[in-house]
Every structure is written in structure tokens, then in C-alpha cells.
Amino acid sequence: MARVFSGIQPSGELHIGNYLGAVRRWVELQRQHECFFCIVDYHAVTQDYDVGLLASRTLDMATSLLAAGIDPDRAVLFVQSHVPEHTELAWLFTTVTPVGELERMTQFKEKAQRQESVLAGLMNYPVLQAADVLLYKADTVPVGEDQVQHIELTREIARKWNARYGEGFFPEPQALVSDAKRIMGLDGQAKMSKSIGNTIGILEEPETIWQRLRPAMTDPARVTRNDPGTPEICNIYHLHRHFSPPATIEDVAHKCRTAGWGCLDCKRVLADNIARVFEPIRQRAAELKAHPERVRDILAAGAERARVVAQDTMRLVRERMGLFGARERARP
Ligand code: SF4
């Protein structure tokens, strides 16, 4: 049985992009593997964020994950800052991580361009990510393509630490890259992301889903209803492939190519299918929202289970790194 670790930002309720790209797969993985799923609030604070909303967005994310099928009897679901060993290990890993490696990370370069003064937390983000994974000695990390470089760095950090402090201590985890291609946002321009505002939330009401889909970008060649289109270049068609039955997907492609219907007709069918797929999740979320204490209890129990593993790893890490009192601290 593999040990799986994966993290998600506390960005509030799940949207279609992170559901299809990550969480749907988590729900499958938890059936076969030992899974640790973490809401990474320490990562969230490396960029501008709303202090007043962070806690509620963390709770909303947990509610969404549980409603989407994360089962606390199978997987360990917890909040990163509730297990302080994450940051302790990250600090120790900074001592074996070359700055040059961090500076060449694509995500760092992109995000640093947007910061007037680049903060150390942003640069060290992948070190904390390495600590997240290795704290649990996870061997499998489901990620999107944009995170593969960070997993390679995690492997390198594990190698460097092992070479200095104990061969074979940390495994070199493998990235399990999502087979769902990047889910594009409703603007058809960028990856679906809350910060861009081009998402559909999985808990949104059917009418809201429709209102969000109506103005979404389609094939620009379809200027009028009589202009034929090319479904393969239209994001709405790609969403149909995730939410509509096979016969409907075929019908969508045919009617698009032959101008057999308008884009609004096409979006209407998609809106109905998205609403139908998420109906059970919406219902479960409504029950959890009525009892937020249940979600808090699940997160507290998850953190407790995570801490057992994390503390065990850190006890051995401190010992191997020769920290004063490490052996004495370890005694019961
Ligand atoms: S008919 Fe559908 S698939 Fe074709 S361009 Fe319009 S929205 Fe896209």
C-alpha cells in the first residue's frame, strides 16, 4: 500500500478546476492507499491574502472536501498549521537546499515577478512542500503538471539530506500526475483559478452555474448562430466531456460543427449536467454547513493522527542531525 500525501490551498469552496484536477482522484486513492490530505494554510500566507477570511476559507475547503467524498475513516484530513512539525522540518531542509535550485523554480519566477520585494517565504515555498511530503515519508504525491518540478526538488532534498544524515531515511517520492488536462477557466484564457474569478464552484446553485456559464468564452468563429464551430478549441466542449454522457458529447460536437444550435443552447445543456453531477455533493455540503462543529472535529482528529507520524519522523530527524537533547526529549 502506497502512502500518499497531497495538499490543497485554503481557497474556500472547491471549484470545478480543483475538483477535476485533484480531489476526484483523491477520493479514488483513499480507497486503495494510506492517504494524508492537507489544507496548506502555511503555503497560503506566502502571497497576499485576506487575514479576516483565511480561517473561514479553511473551514469551507474542509467542508467541500468532505462533501466531495473525502472520508475521514479512510484518509487523514487536516490543516497544515495544526501540525507544527511541517515548519520545523522545512527549516532543517533549508540547510541542505541550494538557493540556486529555488531561484530556478518556474512558479517562483512567475510569482516573484508580481512582487515588488521578493519575500523569503515565497522562495522557500517548495522547501515547505518537501517537508509536507517527507514528514509522512510519503512515496506518492498526486499533483498537477505545474507541480512536477517541485516534486523533483523534493526528491533532491531527500537525497541531499539522506547523504548527510542517513542513507535511505527519506523515500524519494514519485509524482502522480493528474491525467485531467489543465482545466481552463470560463474566460478560456487561463487555468481555472479563484484569484482570476473564472471558476464555477462545485457547491453553486443550478441557477448560479447557468449565470456563470452564459457569458463564458466559446469558439470565436461562431459569431452568429449560423456560423459552424470547432468544438475541440472550445472550452465549453471540453467541460461537456467531463460532465455530459457520451451521446450528448457526440451530439454537442455534431451540432457545433453544423451550426445545428447556438452556443447558449450548448451551455444550457452543460449547466444542467454540471448541476446534476454535483447535486449529491451540494446536499452533503448543506448538511455539514448546518453542523460546522462536525467538520472542526474531523480536522482536529485528523491533526492528531498526522501528529503521531510527524512527531515520530521529527524525533528521528533531530537525533540524526545531532540536536542537543534530542534523545532525552524522545523518552516518554
Ligand atoms: S456550440 Fe458549444 S462547443 Fe460549439 S462553440 Fe458553441 S459552446 Fe462551444
Side-chain angles (χ1 to χ4, degrees):
M1 187 192 283
R3 183 175 276 182
V4 175
F5 179 95
S6 202
I8 194 162
Q9 292 269 349
S11 52
E13 292 176 358
L14 283 170
H15 57 71
I16 285 175
N18 41 35
Y19 176 77
L20 295 176
V23 175
R24 189 175 53 165
R25 194 168 207 198
W26 291 7
V27 174
E28 287 165 24
L29 286 168
Q30 70 181 351
R31 299 198 179 109
Q32 299 143 23
H33 303 293
E34 187 185 9
C35 293
F36 291 79
F37 298 132
C38 181
I39 303 175
V40 291
D41 51 353
Y42 277 151
H43 285 285
V45 300
T46 58
Q47 294 206 77
D48 272 349
Y49 71 101
D50 191 327
V51 176
L53 290 179
L54 180 61
S56 63
R57 286 190 171 152
T58 303
L59 186 69
D60 286 347
M61 176 53 77
T63 304
S64 282
L65 290 171
L66 293 166
I70 298 302
D71 177 353
D73 291 332
R74 291 177 187 268
V76 181
L77 176 66
F78 67 104
V79 177
Q80 187 182 29
S81 63
H82 294 181
V83 184
E85 285 78 6
H86 284 253
T87 42
E88 184 182 359
L89 186 58
W91 172 252
L92 297 176
F93 279 167
T94 61
T95 65
V96 294
T97 309
V99 170
E101 291 293 322
L102 297 174
E103 284 174 334
R104 73 177 185 84
M105 292 291 116
T106 307
Q107 278 204 346
F108 168 70
K109 286 194 275 190
E110 282 172 10
K111 288 179 181 170
Q113 275 177 356
R114 289 181 243 137
Q115 290 192 353
E116 214 170 283
S117 159
V118 179
L119 303 173
L122 183 66
M123 191 164 76
N124 284 318
Y125 187 110
V127 184
L128 180 56
Q129 225 173 6
D132 296 339
V133 172
L134 295 175
L135 192 54
Y136 301 96
K137 297 189 176 176
D139 44 38
T140 306
V141 190
V143 285
E145 269 170 15
D146 55 351
Q147 292 295 313
V148 170
Q149 195 184 28
H150 287 183
I151 302 306
E152 279 165 11
L153 181 67
T154 298
R155 293 163 58 83
E156 192 180 334
I157 289 173
R159 271 197 300 277
K160 284 184 187 298
W161 192 95
N162 287 351
R164 187 152 181 210
Y165 299 109
E167 275 308 329
F169 183 80
F170 286 118
E172 288 186 36
Q174 300 291 334
L176 188 65
V177 183
S178 168
D179 50 8
K181 295 280 172 231
R182 267 157 60 104
I183 307 299
M184 298 300 284
L186 299 179
D187 52 5
Q189 306 291 315
K191 185 177 158 182
M192 197 174 270
S193 163
K194 260 203 181 140
S195 59
I196 301 177
N198 60 359
T199 63
I200 296 177
I202 69 167
L203 305 183
E204 276 172 335
E205 291 297 324
E207 179 56 24
T208 313
I209 294 172
W210 169 233
Q211 292 305 333
R212 293 184 70 72
L213 267 181
R214 273 179 72 116
M217 182 77 174
T218 62
D219 175 1
R222 296 213 67 190
V223 179
T224 71
R225 198 183 182 289
N226 297 326
D227 297 320
T230 308
E232 289 77 11
I233 63 167
C234 176
N235 194 31
I236 298 300
Y237 175 67
H238 291 296
L239 289 173
H240 269 292
R241 292 171 67 160
H242 286 291
F243 294 103
S244 298
T248 307
I249 298 167
E250 238 176 77
D251 196 41
V252 167
H254 175 72
K255 284 179 171 160
C256 180
R257 284 198 188 95
T258 58
W261 65 359
C263 289
L264 277 181
D265 305 319
C266 183
K267 290 172 176 176
R268 180 74 253 184
V269 173
L270 176 62
D272 292 344
N273 286 339
I274 291 176
R276 179 181 47 76
V277 167
F278 289 129
E279 176 58 28
I281 294 179
R282 247 192 334 273
Q283 279 181 15
R284 282 199 292 275
E287 286 164 24
L288 289 166
K289 282 180 181 179
H291 300 280
E293 70 285 357
R294 286 187 199 160
V295 181
R296 290 176 193 280
D297 288 350
I298 288 168
L299 292 176
E304 214 166 291
R305 287 168 67 193
R307 273 198 299 267
V308 171
V309 182
Q311 286 172 354
D312 194 44
T313 303
M314 283 314 302
R315 177 177 59 78
L316 295 167
V317 165
R318 289 187 209 106
E319 272 184 33
R320 286 183 184 229
M321 292 185 74
L323 297 176
F324 176 74
R327 283 180 193 283
E328 290 76 0
R329 273 178 72 183
R331 286 198 194 114

